[in-house]
Amino acid sequence: MAFRCLAVADGAPPVPGDDLTRLLADIRDELAASPVFPVLGPIWREELQRMLEAMLAEWRWKDAGTTPTFEEYLGNAANLGFSFAFASHWLHTADPDAGAGLDLVREASWAVERVIRLLNDLGSYERDLSWGDLNALLIGLTRPEVERHVAELAARSRELIGLLRKTHPELADYLERQMDFCAGFYRVGDYWGAL
């Protein structure tokens, strides 16, 4: 499936009868109409690959019954999909100066993604426990330890967002808003709700 998605991201037609590749082709075609696609399109494709590879890594850990270290787990935060969704947003809304500060935008996105990953773990612990999914609280960290990591990572994210605000204030606002929304949301629930 990952190879089919990457082929579609590279311009291949969707696989007949495969709704996921059809959806991805529709997204790709819409984004390709942007005048900044030559600059940001490769980043969008890289973020898709990062997300798919991270999803595969998490599936392999779960399938093998392997418990990653916290560093490995947090380093695999791309499986959340935040930075891929952000790259899509960025490409769709970018101004002609989108090529300025690409590395800082990506670094800030990845920082926020790590924060959201841990916030998700705090909010979805019961579901992850019942489904057998990976969660920072299920690989040996206590809730206070995860909360401390969230606070440290959020502080670093805010530093990067502050730097980004000088060149891309709208993107900085978007990243900060997403992080703050998730901080509030996961205090009261989980996207899946009670199942």
Side-chain angles (χ1 to χ4, degrees), residues 56-124:
L56 284 171
E58 187 131 340
W59 178 84
R60 288 181 182 126
W61 289 332
K62 186 177 174 182
D63 188 56
T66 304
T67 302
T69 66
F70 176 69
E71 291 74 22
E72 290 170 329
Y73 177 77
L74 191 59
N76 200 52
N79 92 312
L80 183 71
F82 174 81
S83 287
F84 171 65
F86 172 71
S88 302
H89 167 79
W90 180 16
L91 207 162
H92 186 70
T93 62
D95 59 37
D97 295 329
L102 296 178
D103 291 340
L104 179 58
V105 174
R106 296 185 80 187
E107 187 179 357
S109 173
W110 298 335
V112 169
E113 184 170 62
R114 289 188 292 271
V115 171
I116 294 173
R117 176 69 192 256
L118 294 181
L119 289 169
N120 176 69
D121 285 354
L122 292 171
S124 64

Side-chain angles (χ1 to χ4, degrees), residues 100-169:
L102 296 178
D103 291 340
L104 179 58
V105 174
R106 296 185 80 187
E107 187 179 357
S109 173
W110 298 335
V112 169
E113 184 170 62
R114 289 188 292 271
V115 171
I116 294 173
R117 176 69 192 256
L118 294 181
L119 289 169
N120 176 69
D121 285 354
L122 292 171
S124 64
Y125 170 75
E126 295 296 331
R127 175 178 47 87
D128 293 338
L129 181 63
S130 68
W131 287 9
D133 284 346
L134 288 173
N135 182 305
L137 296 169
L138 296 171
I139 61 171
L141 276 77
T142 64
R143 184 170 286 274
E145 288 171 327
V146 173
E147 289 170 348
R148 189 186 83 245
H149 282 292
V150 167
E152 291 168 359
L153 292 166
R156 176 62 182 148
S157 295
R158 290 189 197 286
E159 288 174 15
L160 293 168
I161 289 168
L163 295 172
L164 184 61
R165 199 171 303 285
K166 297 171 187 170
T167 54
H168 297 287

